[in-house]
Amino acid sequence: MIRKLILAGAILAAMAAPALADPIEGAWKTKAGDNAMISPCGGSFCIKLTSGEYSGQSIGKMKADGGNKYSGSITKPSNGKTYKGSATLSGSSLKMTGCVLAVLCESQTWKKL
């Protein structure tokens, strides 16, 4: 009987515990001053602008590589071109990089809101 109560309590505690979110998830302030939301989507993380001139536009998709590093694609909203992208999370800063031919790269740092 006691074993059943302990098991039932453990199951209830597991169900009540909030799911652990990946640290990249959430709202971010871009270098341009716009807000972006990073949320899970199909085993990756989708990036969507939520304010500014390009609000509502999806601008990237990243997958976790481990060690607070991410890789995928990033779209520059001003020209609509998509580049090979990467991101590195360090505390409340996210360094986003987009590259053409792995030689010509542009980076910017976003801040967690």
Side-chain angles (χ1 to χ4, degrees):
M1 178 71 176
I2 292 178
R3 191 181 303 186
K4 287 182 181 179
L5 286 175
I6 292 172
L7 179 62
I11 290 171
L12 284 174
M15 290 173 59
L20 296 176
D22 191 282
I24 198 173
E25 290 180 46
W28 295 87
K29 178 72 73 178
T30 70
K31 181 181 175 184
D34 299 331
N35 293 339
M37 180 62 70
I38 300 178
S39 55
C41 63
S44 295
F45 299 96
C46 289
I47 308 166
K48 187 175 195 174
L49 292 174
T50 57
S51 72
E53 181 180 356
Y54 302 100
S55 182
Q57 185 173 342
S58 294
I59 61 163
K61 191 171 188 178
M62 299 276 175
K63 67 176 181 60
D65 294 332
N68 289 329
K69 296 190 182 294
Y70 303 83
S71 62
S73 62
I74 192 83
T75 300
K76 188 172 185 176
S78 61
N79 65 13
K81 293 186 179 187
T82 301
Y83 305 95
K84 182 176 181 181
S86 64
T88 303
L89 183 63
S90 178
S92 62
S93 295
L94 183 65
K95 183 178 179 183
M96 301 289 286
T97 303
C99 297
V100 177
L101 302 173
V103 178
L104 302 171
C105 298
E106 183 179 319
S107 295
Q108 54 180 260
T109 301
W110 295 3
K111 298 291 181 187
K112 187 94 173 188
L113 294 176

